[in-house]
Amino acid sequence: MKKIRVRYAPSPTGHLHIGNARTALFNYLFARHHGGEFIIRIEDTDLKRNIDEGEKSQLENLAWLGIEWDESPEKPGKYAPYRQSERKEIYQPLIDQLLASNRAYKCYCTEEELEEEREAQRSRGEIPRYSGTCSQLSVEEQMAKEAEGIQPVVRFRVPRNAEYRFDDLVKGEIVFESDNVGGDFVILKRDGMPTYNFAVTVDDHEMQITHVLRGDDHIANTPKQMMIYEAFGWDYPQFGHMTLIINSETGKKLSKRDGGILQFIEQYRELGYLPEAMFNFITLLGWSPVGEEEIFSPAQLIEMFDANRLSKSPAAFDAKKLEWINNHYIKQMDLEDLTKMAIPYLVTEGRLEAELSPERFAWIQKIVALYQPQMSFAAEIVELSNLFFTDHPVLDEAAKEVLAGESVPVVLEAFKAQLETMEVVDAPTVKAAIKAVQKETGIKGKNLFMPIRVAVSGQTHGPELPDTVELLGREKALAHLNQVL
């Protein structure tokens, strides 16, 4: 059996999008599950749209996710080069071959003429398609056009009344009529660069790609690529088109205009999401394991990945589920590692100095420990730990309600006296002090704890009260108490 070879082929036109990351991830899991090879190829023929650092950003973010590849531009194998812009010498002889066999022809129509033709078709209620104006030009007519200085494109002759069918890995059998693909399509642009459909077909064949797994927005390209395979007498790879990712709230395709959803891997990295959590979450977007479990390591996902379990229905992007999965991984983290991850966010906010003494680090580590069970991502530490870095916060209605209780002044005065006389302010001593206040005042339960919590922290909910007082320190805790009193 032929060795499985799959590829992820991004354009260097922007950062790594969730949808593209999923394509890369499914290809990677498929290859590794079958002991095959995973290749990265850069599709950079659209020179106008390429951005500096686009390729670097794609590769860095894929590596961060934990995806490893066997061949790429910076890890070339025997099918190099891996950038389409460097493969023109491979494409040109094949274009010439199609021209010589009359499977393609030069087209001299200008953009203005083509737009005019499309407008006329639209006005007649027809779907715009190239009518084949240049498909039968004689050699003399072609020479006359070139004498005028018109740079031609090359178009592929679409077979008439032909049927193209393939068994899609995800969707089952798909059938296309050749007359519905929009007429003879361009395979070589005026600038000498091949178009996507031509280059991708040639590259997949030349690089021995056995399976093409991609988003289902590529389905319409498949018959065009099959025509090119057929024209050269090449075997098709097995195609599989994954369903789109939709916004779970609107039910519509995830759009880059969906302001409420972060859509680029870089944005999640910047917020302090963990790569293994992202790997886990993205794999569940359009693929389901057997059973109810949802937390898996990359090794487990490689072992269990089955392309037959790719979903036929759109995958809903659920930001809350991602937070839940990331929280699971954060709870498993080593506390010191999580603290080191959280510190830069506090430094950026001006709450911590860049260089921390061992004592200061130990203090911040205790704060991180308080919030580790509830943190969804590392940047959240800024908001969660507010009370340790700001003056007494503004009290909300619930906090004011607690402080309106009849016995509140008695409790707070008694606790203040305890706090002032403590030799050491730590959690066990604070716990003992609260018990002493209970004994002294006869007040217990909520009426005892809640006024102290609100007065010290300004919050009705939060970490354990003794821990909170210890980390605030005597001076700050007293200042807050006095302000309330």
Short mmCIF file of all heavy atoms in Angstrom, two decimals, residues 38-96:
data_model
loop_
_atom_site.label_atom_id
_atom_site.label_comp_id
_atom_site.label_asym_id
_atom_site.label_seq_id
_atom_site.Cartn_x
_atom_site.Cartn_y
_atom_site.Cartn_z
N PHE A 38 3.48 14.26 6.85
CA PHE A 38 2.74 15.53 6.83
C PHE A 38 3.67 16.62 6.28
O PHE A 38 4.75 16.85 6.79
CB PHE A 38 2.29 15.87 8.26
CG PHE A 38 1.63 17.22 8.38
CD1 PHE A 38 0.52 17.55 7.63
CD2 PHE A 38 2.12 18.16 9.28
CE1 PHE A 38 -0.08 18.80 7.75
CE2 PHE A 38 1.53 19.41 9.42
CZ PHE A 38 0.42 19.72 8.65
N ILE A 39 3.19 17.26 5.21
CA ILE A 39 4.03 18.23 4.48
C ILE A 39 3.40 19.61 4.58
O ILE A 39 2.17 19.76 4.52
CB ILE A 39 4.12 17.81 2.98
CG1 ILE A 39 4.95 16.54 2.85
CG2 ILE A 39 4.73 18.91 2.11
CD1 ILE A 39 4.14 15.29 2.86
N ILE A 40 4.25 20.62 4.69
CA ILE A 40 3.76 22.01 4.61
C ILE A 40 4.31 22.63 3.33
O ILE A 40 5.51 22.59 3.06
CB ILE A 40 4.19 22.83 5.83
CG1 ILE A 40 3.41 22.34 7.05
CG2 ILE A 40 3.93 24.33 5.61
CD1 ILE A 40 3.63 23.10 8.31
N ARG A 41 3.39 23.16 2.54
CA ARG A 41 3.75 23.80 1.27
C ARG A 41 3.15 25.20 1.27
O ARG A 41 2.01 25.39 1.70
CB ARG A 41 3.13 22.96 0.13
CG ARG A 41 3.51 23.44 -1.25
CD ARG A 41 2.95 22.49 -2.30
NE ARG A 41 1.52 22.61 -2.49
CZ ARG A 41 0.70 21.57 -2.64
NH1 ARG A 41 1.15 20.34 -2.61
NH2 ARG A 41 -0.60 21.77 -2.82
N ILE A 42 3.89 26.17 0.83
CA ILE A 42 3.43 27.56 0.86
C ILE A 42 2.88 27.96 -0.51
O ILE A 42 3.61 27.92 -1.51
CB ILE A 42 4.57 28.52 1.28
CG1 ILE A 42 5.16 28.09 2.64
CG2 ILE A 42 4.08 29.96 1.33
CD1 ILE A 42 4.20 28.14 3.81
N GLU A 43 1.61 28.33 -0.54
CA GLU A 43 0.96 28.71 -1.80
C GLU A 43 0.99 30.24 -1.93
O GLU A 43 0.07 30.93 -1.53
CB GLU A 43 -0.47 28.15 -1.84
CG GLU A 43 -0.42 26.62 -1.81
CD GLU A 43 -1.75 25.94 -2.06
OE1 GLU A 43 -2.80 26.61 -1.97
OE2 GLU A 43 -1.74 24.73 -2.33
N ASP A 44 2.09 30.72 -2.49
CA ASP A 44 2.34 32.17 -2.51
C ASP A 44 2.32 32.75 -3.92
O ASP A 44 3.04 33.70 -4.21
CB ASP A 44 3.69 32.46 -1.84
CG ASP A 44 4.85 31.75 -2.54
OD1 ASP A 44 4.59 30.88 -3.40
OD2 ASP A 44 6.01 32.05 -2.22
N THR A 45 1.47 32.19 -4.79
CA THR A 45 1.43 32.71 -6.17
C THR A 45 0.67 34.02 -6.29
O THR A 45 0.80 34.72 -7.28
CB THR A 45 0.80 31.67 -7.14
OG1 THR A 45 -0.49 31.33 -6.65
CG2 THR A 45 1.66 30.42 -7.24
N ASP A 46 -0.15 34.34 -5.27
CA ASP A 46 -0.88 35.62 -5.31
C ASP A 46 0.02 36.70 -4.69
O ASP A 46 -0.13 37.08 -3.54
CB ASP A 46 -2.19 35.50 -4.54
CG ASP A 46 -3.14 36.66 -4.82
OD1 ASP A 46 -2.66 37.68 -5.36
OD2 ASP A 46 -4.33 36.56 -4.48
N LEU A 47 0.96 37.16 -5.50
CA LEU A 47 2.02 38.04 -4.99
C LEU A 47 1.49 39.31 -4.34
O LEU A 47 2.07 39.83 -3.40
CB LEU A 47 2.99 38.40 -6.13
CG LEU A 47 3.65 37.18 -6.82
CD1 LEU A 47 4.51 37.64 -8.00
CD2 LEU A 47 4.50 36.40 -5.84
N LYS A 48 0.36 39.84 -4.87
CA LYS A 48 -0.18 41.12 -4.34
C LYS A 48 -0.66 40.97 -2.90
O LYS A 48 -0.62 41.91 -2.13
CB LYS A 48 -1.35 41.59 -5.23
CG LYS A 48 -0.95 42.05 -6.61
CD LYS A 48 -2.12 42.75 -7.30
CE LYS A 48 -1.95 42.79 -8.81
NZ LYS A 48 -2.64 41.66 -9.48
N ARG A 49 -1.15 39.77 -2.54
CA ARG A 49 -1.76 39.60 -1.22
C ARG A 49 -0.78 39.08 -0.16
O ARG A 49 -1.10 39.07 1.02
CB ARG A 49 -2.96 38.65 -1.33
CG ARG A 49 -4.13 39.27 -2.09
CD ARG A 49 -5.33 38.34 -2.13
NE ARG A 49 -5.82 38.03 -0.80
CZ ARG A 49 -6.12 36.80 -0.39
NH1 ARG A 49 -5.96 35.78 -1.19
NH2 ARG A 49 -6.56 36.59 0.83
N ASN A 50 0.38 38.62 -0.58
CA ASN A 50 1.34 38.09 0.39
C ASN A 50 1.81 39.19 1.33
O ASN A 50 2.01 40.33 0.90
CB ASN A 50 2.56 37.48 -0.32
CG ASN A 50 2.19 36.27 -1.15
OD1 ASN A 50 1.14 35.68 -0.96
ND2 ASN A 50 3.05 35.89 -2.08
N ILE A 51 1.99 38.84 2.60
CA ILE A 51 2.48 39.85 3.55
C ILE A 51 3.82 39.40 4.13
O ILE A 51 4.08 38.20 4.24
CB ILE A 51 1.46 40.13 4.70
CG1 ILE A 51 1.21 38.86 5.53
CG2 ILE A 51 0.16 40.68 4.18
CD1 ILE A 51 0.56 39.14 6.87
N ASP A 52 4.64 40.36 4.51
CA ASP A 52 5.90 40.04 5.18
C ASP A 52 5.58 39.28 6.46
O ASP A 52 4.60 39.60 7.14
CB ASP A 52 6.66 41.34 5.56
CG ASP A 52 7.13 42.07 4.31
OD1 ASP A 52 7.19 41.43 3.25
OD2 ASP A 52 7.40 43.28 4.39
N GLU A 53 6.39 38.34 6.78
CA GLU A 53 6.23 37.56 8.02
C GLU A 53 5.02 36.61 7.97
O GLU A 53 4.75 35.92 8.94
CB GLU A 53 6.08 38.47 9.27
CG GLU A 53 7.20 39.48 9.47
CD GLU A 53 8.50 38.84 9.87
OE1 GLU A 53 8.53 38.09 10.85
OE2 GLU A 53 9.50 39.07 9.17
N GLY A 54 4.27 36.60 6.86
CA GLY A 54 3.07 35.74 6.78
C GLY A 54 3.43 34.27 6.93
O GLY A 54 2.80 33.54 7.71
N GLU A 55 4.45 33.84 6.19
CA GLU A 55 4.87 32.44 6.25
C GLU A 55 5.43 32.10 7.64
O GLU A 55 5.09 31.09 8.24
CB GLU A 55 5.94 32.18 5.19
CG GLU A 55 6.47 30.78 5.17
CD GLU A 55 7.59 30.59 4.15
OE1 GLU A 55 7.50 31.12 3.02
OE2 GLU A 55 8.58 29.90 4.49
N LYS A 56 6.27 33.00 8.16
CA LYS A 56 6.90 32.78 9.48
C LYS A 56 5.82 32.65 10.56
O LYS A 56 5.89 31.78 11.42
CB LYS A 56 7.81 33.98 9.76
CG LYS A 56 8.63 33.87 11.05
CD LYS A 56 9.69 34.96 11.07
CE LYS A 56 10.45 34.95 12.39
NZ LYS A 56 10.00 35.98 13.32
N SER A 57 4.82 33.52 10.49
CA SER A 57 3.73 33.50 11.48
C SER A 57 2.98 32.16 11.43
O SER A 57 2.68 31.56 12.46
CB SER A 57 2.77 34.65 11.21
OG SER A 57 1.58 34.49 11.94
N GLN A 58 2.68 31.69 10.21
CA GLN A 58 1.98 30.40 10.06
C GLN A 58 2.79 29.28 10.72
O GLN A 58 2.27 28.51 11.53
CB GLN A 58 1.81 30.08 8.57
CG GLN A 58 0.80 30.94 7.85
CD GLN A 58 -0.61 30.39 7.92
OE1 GLN A 58 -0.83 29.21 8.16
NE2 GLN A 58 -1.59 31.25 7.72
N LEU A 59 4.07 29.19 10.38
CA LEU A 59 4.90 28.09 10.87
C LEU A 59 5.11 28.16 12.38
O LEU A 59 5.06 27.14 13.08
CB LEU A 59 6.25 28.07 10.15
CG LEU A 59 6.18 27.80 8.63
CD1 LEU A 59 7.56 27.83 8.00
CD2 LEU A 59 5.53 26.46 8.33
N GLU A 60 5.34 29.38 12.89
CA GLU A 60 5.57 29.54 14.34
C GLU A 60 4.34 29.11 15.14
O GLU A 60 4.45 28.45 16.17
CB GLU A 60 5.90 31.00 14.67
CG GLU A 60 7.37 31.33 14.46
CD GLU A 60 7.68 32.78 14.80
OE1 GLU A 60 6.76 33.52 15.23
OE2 GLU A 60 8.85 33.17 14.63
N ASN A 61 3.15 29.50 14.65
CA ASN A 61 1.93 29.18 15.39
C ASN A 61 1.57 27.70 15.28
O ASN A 61 1.03 27.12 16.23
CB ASN A 61 0.78 30.08 14.93
CG ASN A 61 0.91 31.48 15.50
OD1 ASN A 61 0.89 31.67 16.71
ND2 ASN A 61 1.10 32.48 14.65
N LEU A 62 1.87 27.08 14.15
CA LEU A 62 1.65 25.64 14.03
C LEU A 62 2.57 24.88 14.99
O LEU A 62 2.14 23.94 15.66
CB LEU A 62 1.92 25.17 12.59
CG LEU A 62 0.89 25.57 11.54
CD1 LEU A 62 1.38 25.20 10.15
CD2 LEU A 62 -0.46 24.91 11.79
N ALA A 63 3.83 25.33 15.06
CA ALA A 63 4.79 24.68 15.96
C ALA A 63 4.35 24.87 17.42
O ALA A 63 4.45 23.95 18.23
CB ALA A 63 6.19 25.26 15.74
N TRP A 64 3.86 26.07 17.74
CA TRP A 64 3.38 26.35 19.10
C TRP A 64 2.24 25.40 19.48
O TRP A 64 2.18 24.90 20.60
CB TRP A 64 2.92 27.80 19.20
CG TRP A 64 2.34 28.16 20.55
CD1 TRP A 64 3.02 28.44 21.70
CD2 TRP A 64 0.94 28.25 20.89
NE1 TRP A 64 2.14 28.70 22.73
CE2 TRP A 64 0.86 28.59 22.27
CE3 TRP A 64 -0.24 28.07 20.17
CZ2 TRP A 64 -0.36 28.77 22.92
CZ3 TRP A 64 -1.45 28.25 20.83
CH2 TRP A 64 -1.51 28.59 22.18
N LEU A 65 1.36 25.11 18.52
CA LEU A 65 0.24 24.20 18.79
C LEU A 65 0.71 22.77 19.06
O LEU A 65 -0.03 21.95 19.60
CB LEU A 65 -0.72 24.17 17.58
CG LEU A 65 -1.75 25.28 17.48
CD1 LEU A 65 -2.48 25.20 16.15
CD2 LEU A 65 -2.76 25.22 18.63
N GLY A 66 1.95 22.47 18.65
CA GLY A 66 2.46 21.11 18.86
C GLY A 66 2.40 20.26 17.61
O GLY A 66 2.51 19.04 17.67
N ILE A 67 2.20 20.91 16.46
CA ILE A 67 2.15 20.17 15.19
C ILE A 67 3.57 20.07 14.62
O ILE A 67 4.28 21.07 14.52
CB ILE A 67 1.21 20.90 14.19
CG1 ILE A 67 -0.23 20.85 14.71
CG2 ILE A 67 1.31 20.28 12.81
CD1 ILE A 67 -1.23 21.63 13.89
N GLU A 68 3.97 18.87 14.28
CA GLU A 68 5.31 18.65 13.71
C GLU A 68 5.14 18.22 12.26
O GLU A 68 4.22 17.48 11.93
CB GLU A 68 6.05 17.55 14.48
CG GLU A 68 6.26 17.89 15.94
CD GLU A 68 6.60 16.66 16.77
OE1 GLU A 68 6.41 15.53 16.28
OE2 GLU A 68 7.05 16.84 17.91
N TRP A 69 6.04 18.67 11.40
CA TRP A 69 5.93 18.29 9.98
C TRP A 69 7.21 17.61 9.50
O TRP A 69 8.27 17.76 10.09
CB TRP A 69 5.58 19.51 9.13
CG TRP A 69 6.41 20.73 9.40
CD1 TRP A 69 7.59 21.06 8.81
CD2 TRP A 69 6.12 21.79 10.33
NE1 TRP A 69 8.05 22.26 9.31
CE2 TRP A 69 7.17 22.73 10.23
CE3 TRP A 69 5.06 22.03 11.22
CZ2 TRP A 69 7.20 23.89 11.00
CZ3 TRP A 69 5.11 23.19 11.99
CH2 TRP A 69 6.16 24.10 11.88
N ASP A 70 7.05 16.87 8.40
CA ASP A 70 8.18 16.10 7.86
C ASP A 70 8.94 16.87 6.78
O ASP A 70 10.14 16.67 6.61
CB ASP A 70 7.66 14.78 7.29
CG ASP A 70 6.96 13.96 8.36
OD1 ASP A 70 7.65 13.46 9.25
OD2 ASP A 70 5.72 13.85 8.33
N GLU A 71 8.23 17.72 6.02
CA GLU A 71 8.86 18.50 4.96
C GLU A 71 8.22 19.89 4.93
O GLU A 71 7.03 20.02 5.21
CB GLU A 71 8.65 17.82 3.58
CG GLU A 71 9.25 16.43 3.47
CD GLU A 71 8.62 15.62 2.32
OE1 GLU A 71 8.24 16.24 1.30
OE2 GLU A 71 8.52 14.39 2.45
N SER A 72 9.02 20.89 4.58
CA SER A 72 8.52 22.27 4.50
C SER A 72 9.62 23.11 3.87
O SER A 72 10.73 22.60 3.62
CB SER A 72 8.18 22.81 5.90
OG SER A 72 9.37 23.01 6.64
N PRO A 73 9.38 24.42 3.63
CA PRO A 73 10.44 25.24 3.04
C PRO A 73 11.73 25.22 3.85
O PRO A 73 12.83 25.18 3.28
CB PRO A 73 9.83 26.65 3.02
CG PRO A 73 8.37 26.42 2.95
CD PRO A 73 8.11 25.18 3.76
N GLU A 74 11.60 25.22 5.21
CA GLU A 74 12.84 25.26 5.99
C GLU A 74 13.29 23.85 6.41
O GLU A 74 14.27 23.68 7.11
CB GLU A 74 12.69 26.22 7.18
CG GLU A 74 12.20 25.72 8.50
CD GLU A 74 10.83 25.05 8.51
OE1 GLU A 74 10.07 25.11 7.51
OE2 GLU A 74 10.51 24.44 9.52
N LYS A 75 12.54 22.82 5.93
CA LYS A 75 12.92 21.42 6.20
C LYS A 75 12.70 20.63 4.91
O LYS A 75 11.85 19.76 4.84
CB LYS A 75 12.04 20.88 7.34
CG LYS A 75 12.50 19.56 7.93
CD LYS A 75 11.54 19.14 9.02
CE LYS A 75 11.96 17.81 9.63
NZ LYS A 75 10.99 17.34 10.64
N PRO A 76 13.47 20.99 3.85
CA PRO A 76 13.18 20.43 2.53
C PRO A 76 13.47 18.93 2.42
O PRO A 76 14.41 18.43 3.02
CB PRO A 76 14.07 21.23 1.59
CG PRO A 76 15.13 21.81 2.46
CD PRO A 76 14.58 21.93 3.83
N GLY A 77 12.60 18.24 1.67
CA GLY A 77 12.82 16.83 1.35
C GLY A 77 13.09 16.70 -0.13
O GLY A 77 13.49 17.67 -0.79
N LYS A 78 12.83 15.53 -0.70
CA LYS A 78 13.19 15.31 -2.11
C LYS A 78 12.23 15.98 -3.09
O LYS A 78 12.48 15.96 -4.29
CB LYS A 78 13.31 13.82 -2.39
CG LYS A 78 12.04 13.01 -2.29
CD LYS A 78 12.32 11.56 -2.68
CE LYS A 78 11.06 10.72 -2.55
NZ LYS A 78 11.26 9.35 -3.00
N TYR A 79 11.12 16.56 -2.58
CA TYR A 79 10.16 17.20 -3.49
C TYR A 79 10.30 18.73 -3.50
O TYR A 79 9.40 19.43 -3.91
CB TYR A 79 8.73 16.79 -3.11
CG TYR A 79 8.52 15.30 -3.16
CD1 TYR A 79 8.50 14.55 -1.99
CD2 TYR A 79 8.39 14.64 -4.38
CE1 TYR A 79 8.33 13.17 -2.04
CE2 TYR A 79 8.21 13.27 -4.44
CZ TYR A 79 8.19 12.53 -3.27
OH TYR A 79 8.03 11.16 -3.32
N ALA A 80 11.41 19.23 -3.00
CA ALA A 80 11.65 20.69 -2.95
C ALA A 80 11.63 21.26 -4.37
O ALA A 80 11.87 20.54 -5.34
CB ALA A 80 12.99 20.94 -2.27
N PRO A 81 11.40 22.59 -4.51
CA PRO A 81 11.10 23.55 -3.43
C PRO A 81 9.65 23.44 -2.95
O PRO A 81 8.80 22.90 -3.63
CB PRO A 81 11.38 24.91 -4.07
CG PRO A 81 11.23 24.69 -5.54
CD PRO A 81 11.57 23.27 -5.81
N TYR A 82 9.40 24.03 -1.76
CA TYR A 82 8.08 23.93 -1.13
C TYR A 82 7.32 25.25 -1.14
O TYR A 82 6.32 25.38 -0.45
CB TYR A 82 8.22 23.39 0.30
CG TYR A 82 8.66 21.93 0.30
CD1 TYR A 82 10.00 21.60 0.21
CD2 TYR A 82 7.72 20.90 0.34
CE1 TYR A 82 10.41 20.27 0.18
CE2 TYR A 82 8.11 19.58 0.31
CZ TYR A 82 9.46 19.25 0.23
OH TYR A 82 9.86 17.94 0.18
N ARG A 83 7.84 26.23 -1.88
CA ARG A 83 7.08 27.47 -2.12
C ARG A 83 6.70 27.50 -3.59
O ARG A 83 7.56 27.33 -4.46
CB ARG A 83 7.94 28.71 -1.81
CG ARG A 83 8.22 28.93 -0.35
CD ARG A 83 8.95 30.25 -0.10
NE ARG A 83 9.48 30.27 1.26
CZ ARG A 83 10.71 29.90 1.58
NH1 ARG A 83 11.56 29.51 0.63
NH2 ARG A 83 11.10 29.92 2.84
N GLN A 84 5.42 27.75 -3.87
CA GLN A 84 4.99 27.73 -5.27
C GLN A 84 5.71 28.77 -6.13
O GLN A 84 5.98 28.52 -7.30
CB GLN A 84 3.47 27.95 -5.35
CG GLN A 84 2.69 26.73 -4.91
CD GLN A 84 1.20 26.89 -5.08
OE1 GLN A 84 0.68 28.02 -5.10
NE2 GLN A 84 0.48 25.78 -5.16
N SER A 85 6.05 29.90 -5.53
CA SER A 85 6.74 30.96 -6.31
C SER A 85 8.11 30.49 -6.81
O SER A 85 8.67 31.07 -7.72
CB SER A 85 6.89 32.22 -5.45
OG SER A 85 7.65 31.92 -4.29
N GLU A 86 8.64 29.42 -6.18
CA GLU A 86 9.96 28.91 -6.58
C GLU A 86 9.84 27.68 -7.49
O GLU A 86 10.83 27.04 -7.83
CB GLU A 86 10.77 28.54 -5.32
CG GLU A 86 11.08 29.75 -4.45
CD GLU A 86 11.59 29.37 -3.06
OE1 GLU A 86 11.80 28.15 -2.81
OE2 GLU A 86 11.77 30.28 -2.23
N ARG A 87 8.60 27.36 -7.92
CA ARG A 87 8.37 26.13 -8.70
C ARG A 87 7.96 26.42 -10.15
O ARG A 87 7.46 25.54 -10.85
CB ARG A 87 7.29 25.28 -8.01
CG ARG A 87 7.72 24.76 -6.65
CD ARG A 87 6.60 24.05 -5.90
NE ARG A 87 6.12 22.87 -6.58
CZ ARG A 87 6.71 21.66 -6.54
NH1 ARG A 87 7.83 21.50 -5.86
NH2 ARG A 87 6.19 20.64 -7.18
N LYS A 88 8.20 27.67 -10.61
CA LYS A 88 7.76 28.05 -11.97
C LYS A 88 8.37 27.15 -13.05
O LYS A 88 7.74 26.85 -14.05
CB LYS A 88 8.10 29.52 -12.24
CG LYS A 88 7.15 30.48 -11.53
CD LYS A 88 7.63 31.90 -11.58
CE LYS A 88 7.31 32.58 -12.88
NZ LYS A 88 7.62 34.02 -12.86
N GLU A 89 9.60 26.71 -12.81
CA GLU A 89 10.27 25.84 -13.81
C GLU A 89 9.58 24.49 -13.92
O GLU A 89 9.72 23.80 -14.93
CB GLU A 89 11.75 25.64 -13.43
CG GLU A 89 12.57 26.90 -13.63
CD GLU A 89 13.99 26.76 -13.12
OE1 GLU A 89 14.40 25.62 -12.81
OE2 GLU A 89 14.69 27.78 -13.03
N ILE A 90 8.85 24.11 -12.87
CA ILE A 90 8.10 22.85 -12.92
C ILE A 90 6.79 23.06 -13.67
O ILE A 90 6.36 22.22 -14.47
CB ILE A 90 7.82 22.33 -11.49
CG1 ILE A 90 9.14 21.98 -10.80
CG2 ILE A 90 6.87 21.13 -11.49
CD1 ILE A 90 9.05 21.74 -9.31
N TYR A 91 6.14 24.22 -13.44
CA TYR A 91 4.82 24.48 -14.05
C TYR A 91 4.90 24.76 -15.55
O TYR A 91 4.06 24.29 -16.31
CB TYR A 91 4.13 25.68 -13.36
CG TYR A 91 4.01 25.58 -11.87
CD1 TYR A 91 4.40 26.64 -11.04
CD2 TYR A 91 3.49 24.44 -11.26
CE1 TYR A 91 4.29 26.55 -9.66
CE2 TYR A 91 3.39 24.36 -9.87
CZ TYR A 91 3.78 25.41 -9.08
OH TYR A 91 3.67 25.34 -7.72
N GLN A 92 5.88 25.56 -15.97
CA GLN A 92 5.89 26.05 -17.35
C GLN A 92 5.90 24.93 -18.40
O GLN A 92 5.10 24.98 -19.35
CB GLN A 92 7.06 27.02 -17.58
CG GLN A 92 6.94 27.84 -18.87
CD GLN A 92 5.62 28.62 -18.98
OE1 GLN A 92 5.27 29.38 -18.10
NE2 GLN A 92 4.87 28.40 -20.08
N PRO A 93 6.75 23.90 -18.28
CA PRO A 93 6.72 22.83 -19.30
C PRO A 93 5.36 22.13 -19.36
O PRO A 93 4.93 21.70 -20.44
CB PRO A 93 7.81 21.86 -18.82
CG PRO A 93 8.69 22.65 -17.92
CD PRO A 93 7.82 23.68 -17.29
N LEU A 94 4.68 22.06 -18.24
CA LEU A 94 3.37 21.40 -18.21
C LEU A 94 2.30 22.27 -18.87
O LEU A 94 1.41 21.77 -19.56
CB LEU A 94 2.98 21.06 -16.76
CG LEU A 94 3.86 19.99 -16.11
CD1 LEU A 94 3.65 19.95 -14.60
CD2 LEU A 94 3.60 18.62 -16.72
N ILE A 95 2.41 23.59 -18.68
CA ILE A 95 1.51 24.54 -19.39
C ILE A 95 1.74 24.38 -20.90
O ILE A 95 0.78 24.27 -21.68
CB ILE A 95 1.80 26.00 -18.96
CG1 ILE A 95 1.45 26.23 -17.48
CG2 ILE A 95 1.08 26.99 -19.88
CD1 ILE A 95 0.01 26.51 -17.15
N ASP A 96 3.02 24.34 -21.29
CA ASP A 96 3.36 24.18 -22.72
C ASP A 96 2.80 22.88 -23.28
O ASP A 96 2.32 22.83 -24.42
CB ASP A 96 4.89 24.23 -22.92
CG ASP A 96 5.48 25.59 -22.56
OD1 ASP A 96 4.70 26.58 -22.54
OD2 ASP A 96 6.69 25.68 -22.28
#
